[in-house]
Amino acid sequence: MRKLSWDEIERPAPEEIPTLPKHPVRLVVHNVRSIHNVGSMFRTSDAARIEHIHLTGFTGTPEHKDLHKTALGAQDAVEWSQHDEPRPLLRDLKDAGYTIAALEQTDHTQRPDAAPADAFPIALVVGNEVRGIEPDVLDAVDLALEIPQYGAKISLNVGVAYGIAVYDLIRRSRTLLGPPGDEDRTE
């Protein structure tokens, strides 16, 4: 085994990214205080090739120079938008056919890798590092997704949790529906 050099690793050119088909996942980041967590989610979103990131509430945007320390250029590869309030955005996404899913511990959750086929396309909502997703936002979701916890702590860092959940969702989507842009998708 040998480590690959940068030029041996297959990846699309930055100018190709906007034209490539995306996985049927959007991210809604609500009231996440740490700009480094937001930058991490941009980098993960680029790697996962999701459709869009919606930044809501007081979540910082790519205009913040410190986001670039963790996003490492991903802020230029992933489409994003900023919204003051999440509820109108969630209504618009639902009207556009998205299932609204909260990454939150509730009394009725399922694992991201068990999402049903009709959950796609999906908009995944993540919340504040300490308080999680606010009750009024949670009232607007269709389902709650939870990552199993096996240790003493009951939660993960929001950027880490998002990374686990989005890859579980993408694997599930590809298993059920095929790769994005696949013309022979089964419904």
Side-chain angles (χ1 to χ4, degrees):
M1 176 183 328
R2 97 182 148 73
K3 183 176 176 177
L4 296 177
S5 66
W6 281 89
D7 48 339
E8 290 179 295
I9 300 171
E10 289 187 36
R11 62 186 173 274
E15 60 274 4
E16 287 180 88
I17 295 292
T19 65
L20 296 174
K22 310 293 188 285
H23 289 104
V25 177
R26 286 177 177 245
L27 171 63
V28 179
V29 185
H30 183 60
N31 284 346
V32 170
R33 185 165 303 282
S34 167
I35 198 68
H36 300 291
N37 280 335
V38 179
S40 172
M41 288 186 271
F42 264 87
R43 190 166 175 195
T44 300
S45 296
D46 171 54
R49 205 162 73 213
I50 68 164
E51 294 176 349
H52 195 94
I53 298 175
H54 301 274
L55 307 170
T56 67
F58 60 70
T59 302
T61 69
E63 279 93 18
H64 194 294
K65 65 179 176 60
D66 288 342
L67 178 136
H68 301 211
K69 291 177 184 177
T70 49
L72 296 176
Q75 71 277 1
D76 300 326
V78 180
E79 290 186 24
W80 65 275
S81 55
Q82 197 280 330
H83 312 264
D84 291 331
E85 296 294 328
R87 295 288 300 257
L89 167 66
L90 297 179
R91 271 193 304 275
D92 290 347
L93 289 169
K94 195 177 283 199
D95 289 347
Y98 286 84
T99 298
I100 310 302
L103 186 56
E104 185 63 89
Q105 296 166 333
T106 72
D107 59 353
H108 189 74
T109 59
Q110 64 187 61
R111 295 166 58 126
D113 61 0
D118 64 358
F120 296 97
I122 195 166
L124 182 63
V125 182
V126 299
N128 183 269
E129 294 93 335
V130 175
R131 294 182 309 280
I133 298 173
E134 298 163 3
D136 69 315
V137 175
L138 201 55
D139 288 342
V141 306
D142 302 308
L143 63 104
L145 302 175
E146 181 178 0
I147 298 165
Q149 307 282 308
Y150 304 111
K153 296 296 179 184
I154 61 167
S155 68
L156 294 166
N157 169 278
V158 66
V160 171
Y162 167 65
I164 294 167
V166 75
Y167 270 90
D168 276 351
L169 289 170
I170 286 169
R171 276 190 291 274
R172 184 71 171 155
S173 170
R174 290 175 76 95
T175 297
L176 296 169
L177 308 171
D182 185 354
E183 305 307 299
D184 297 322
R185 290 179 136 170
T186 57
E187 299 294 327

